[in-house]
Amino acid sequence: MESRTCESIIGCLLGTAVGDAFGLPYEGLSQRRQVRLYPHLNRYQFLFGRGMVSDDTEHTCMVAQSLIVSAGNVDVFKQDLAWRLRFWLLGLPGGIGYATLRAILKLWLGYRSGVFSAGNGAAMRSAIIGVCYGDDLQRLRELVRASTRLTHTDPKAEYGALAVAFASYLSSRRAQVYPQNYYFQVANILGAEAAEFLELIEKACYSANAGESSAYFANQLGMNNRVSGYVYHTVPVVIQTWLRHQQDYPGAMREIIRCGGDTDTTAAILGGIIGASVGKEGIPTPWLQGLWEWPRTKGWIELLGKRLADVCNEGNAKRALPLPALGILLRNLLFTLVVIVHGFRRLLPPY
């Protein structure tokens, strides 16, 4: 059981990172434009065939660090994560969402909650919570709520984050998850107050059961060219894709990226859910080897996963895994420069 927990946690973290890095170059592109620029999804396109991660992975790693030092104590977790978010902003991260930016500025000013937004900031960092605490629904709710409300106070953001966390928990058990069973369990957790969101999840489950493609399902929900960063768009498409590709990490990544839009986040969330099931071994080796990151290297992420697994199994808090502040700042400056180059590249043909 301990080995499975460790494999699932490492798989979730690496699955998030690889999905994030794989989807990042396509972020914001419509389906048509994406295919014209990148007809083949077989390798990283960010930096000379290498991949770098964005805030999706960084937030997931911060949540993992906070779970390590808190051992699931909600108050300690919330306080630690709040400080990590504050100092993360000082590292000048590239591509930060507007709602998250405003929320962290509020934290620096002494406010204890975020802004009213239903963006993806909470959902993108919640999968790891589900892997660690999905078997304790009360604590799962409290940890997801604490993580969510630091940046996003709209209940919709919390519904989406909790649905992702529970999906990753079921995935980590490595048994086939049937769409309607997932829906009924999530409906029981969220209750009638989430009726609008549950209607979308029910549609996702029916679509998955019918074998419809992710792009077709997204089109049925009115997203004809891209999946937006609205949590009621992102999470249903992620869940639909996961239910059809529960053991097929590369196939799932390629399919959800082809939906267009917020591709780094959709691929990161989906990667974390499926990674919890398939582990490191289920992620293509070239994709793992092509992850060009420092100081959050692939090896560092694995060490983070092992330490978190020890905390989950033993129930005792540990020290967080250190990161060099100057290294993070230098890395972020390089990352921002590459993002700017990609922006100019999109001005050029083919259209």
Side-chain angles (χ1 to χ4, degrees):
M1 183 65 180
E2 292 183 4
S3 174
R4 175 170 293 184
T5 300
C6 187
E7 291 174 3
S8 293
I9 289 174
I10 291 175
C12 179
L13 293 174
L14 287 176
T16 298
V18 171
D20 181 9
F22 205 74
L24 182 59
Y26 315 98
E27 183 184 11
L29 293 173
S30 67
Q31 296 175 14
R32 178 181 177 278
R33 177 76 164 138
Q34 182 194 116
V35 172
R36 295 298 301 273
L37 282 173
Y38 305 103
H40 305 292
L41 297 180
N42 51 17
R43 66 185 184 94
Y44 292 116
Q45 299 283 357
F46 190 71
L47 181 62
F48 304 116
R50 302 285 180 170
M52 295 182 72
V53 303
S54 69
D55 56 342
D56 305 275
T57 302
E58 293 165 351
H59 279 229
T60 296
C61 289
M62 285 191 287
V63 167
Q65 294 272 49
S66 296
L67 291 174
I68 288 170
V69 302
S70 68
N73 181 297
V74 178
D75 292 334
V76 176
F77 170 80
K78 184 175 182 178
Q79 184 179 30
D80 185 81
L81 182 58
W83 279 109
R84 291 187 187 280
L85 287 167
R86 290 184 181 102
F87 285 109
W88 173 75
L89 182 61
L90 295 183
L92 303 180
I96 182 173
Y98 183 53
T100 301
L101 173 61
R102 288 185 295 147
I104 298 176
L105 290 175
K106 284 184 65 178
L107 286 174
W108 275 114
L109 293 174
Y111 294 92
R112 296 184 179 181
S113 62
V115 298
F116 193 79
S117 169
N120 282 326
M124 74 187 189
R125 59 178 181 255
S126 67
I128 191 63
I129 303 175
V131 176
C132 295
Y133 293 101
D135 57 353
D136 183 346
L137 283 180
Q138 182 60 33
R139 186 177 298 189
L140 178 68
R141 283 177 176 273
E142 293 174 354
L143 288 169
V144 169
R145 178 174 293 121
S147 171
T148 301
R149 294 187 179 179
L150 281 172
T151 53
H152 296 68
T153 59
D154 189 329
K156 294 178 181 179
E158 189 173 328
Y159 302 153
L162 194 53
V164 169
F166 191 68
S168 69
Y169 162 65
L170 294 179
S171 181
S172 71
R173 297 169 66 184
R174 302 192 176 190
Q176 177 72 19
V177 179
Y178 295 99
Q180 297 312 310
N181 289 344
Y182 171 76
Y183 168 73
F184 287 127
Q185 290 181 78
V186 169
N188 184 57
I189 293 170
L190 294 180
E193 61 185 14
E196 181 185 359
F197 177 69
L198 288 172
E199 182 179 348
L200 295 171
I201 294 298
E202 185 176 28
K203 289 180 179 178
C205 291
Y206 276 116
S207 177
N209 202 47
E212 296 171 352
S213 71
S214 303
Y216 179 83
F217 174 65
N219 290 344
Q220 293 298 106
L221 294 185
M223 294 171 276
N224 297 322
N225 291 307
R226 65 195 79 202
V227 179
S228 77
Y230 176 42
V231 72
Y232 275 25
H233 288 171
T234 298
V235 173
V237 175
V238 166
I239 295 302
Q240 195 266 4
T241 310
W242 160 58
L243 289 169
R244 293 171 36 253
H245 292 278
Q246 294 180 40
Q247 300 296 318
D248 180 12
Y249 184 94
M253 292 302 103
R254 292 187 176 101
E255 185 163 341
I256 202 162
I257 287 170
R258 282 305 192 208
C259 289
D262 195 10
T263 51
D264 61 329
T265 298
T266 55
I269 297 173
L270 182 61
I273 295 172
I274 298 180
S277 178
V278 302
K280 175 184 174 182
E281 295 73 20
I283 302 171
T285 299
W287 294 6
L288 286 169
Q289 293 176 342
L291 197 60
W292 193 87
E293 267 297 335
W294 185 85
R296 294 184 185 88
T297 63
K298 178 174 68 70
W300 183 88
I301 292 175
E302 288 191 61
L303 288 176
L304 181 69
K306 290 176 182 177
R307 186 168 299 190
L308 179 54
D310 289 341
V311 170
C312 291
N313 289 319
E314 298 168 7
N316 298 318
K318 294 180 179 290
R319 295 180 63 182
L321 207 59
L323 283 169
L326 180 59
I328 290 175
L329 180 59
L330 293 174
R331 179 266 176 203
N332 286 346
L333 292 174
L334 171 63
F335 178 85
T336 301
L337 178 62
V338 178
V339 169
I340 292 172
V341 171
H342 273 271
F344 280 110
R345 169 64 186 90
R346 293 183 180 190
L347 299 176
L348 303 175
Y351 299 111

